[in-house]
Amino acid sequence: MTALIAGRNTPAKAGDVQVGLVAAAVNIFAGAMLVRNASGHILPAVTGTDLIGVGRAEVAVDNSDGAAGDATATFKNGRFRYANSAGADEITIADIGQPCFAVDDQTVAKTDDTAARSAAGIVEDVDDLGVWVIFNEALTRAAL
């Protein structure tokens, strides 16, 4: 392509709502923390490897009897609060700006548990109710 010589109507994706194909045999609850697997499918966050946090499920999706790609999930990236892990994996304000790791679809931890957990997102804040996590795939991948 050559450089522009006039204005261009460049397509854009407005907002923070996204849609992705769901992994096989999963049930997603509204509000769940979601991850993308190595093949690009969306599933509820679990302790596992080769996953990356993508955001919060906007609606429930039951693909428990389906194959990968049989259903779609609507999710938002952005900032959401999830439960904090405990003990040595509890996230504190000293961890703000650092990656956090998925324990399950509603809990994040400070460490990857010796490479057993995948990154959920970036810690934005910590309060008495949990951890505020920034979900942005590119930002999370860059932070790793």
Side-chain angles (χ1 to χ4, degrees):
M1 306 258 1
T2 59
L4 292 175
I5 58 170
R8 176 179 194 265
N9 182 11
T10 303
K13 280 188 173 181
D16 53 4
V17 176
Q18 298 190 31
V19 176
L21 296 175
V22 175
V26 297
N27 188 16
I28 297 171
F29 293 102
M33 179 176 14
L34 299 180
V35 294
R36 186 181 310 277
N37 65 21
S39 65
H41 294 96
I42 304 298
L43 64 150
V46 295
T47 294
T49 57
D50 295 328
L51 307 170
I52 190 81
V54 296
R56 179 191 69 190
E58 291 301 290
V59 296
V61 179
D62 185 355
N63 196 37
S64 52
D65 293 328
D70 281 356
T72 58
T74 302
F75 61 94
K76 280 189 176 182
N77 56 26
R79 295 159 169 84
F80 303 101
R81 183 174 54 210
Y82 284 100
N84 198 346
S85 199
D89 266 333
E90 184 174 3
I91 296 168
T92 69
I93 61 169
D95 301 307
I96 292 173
Q98 297 298 314
C100 59
F101 301 87
V103 174
D104 56 37
D105 61 357
Q106 67 170 348
T107 310
V108 291
K110 178 178 186 166
T111 73
D112 67 0
D113 192 27
T114 317
R117 296 183 188 128
S118 294
I122 305 297
V123 176
E124 180 178 64
D125 199 6
V126 181
D127 62 30
D128 292 340
L129 300 175
V131 179
W132 288 93
V133 180
I134 301 169
F135 290 94
N136 178 305
E137 283 183 78
L139 179 63
T140 302
R141 287 182 194 280
L144 298 174

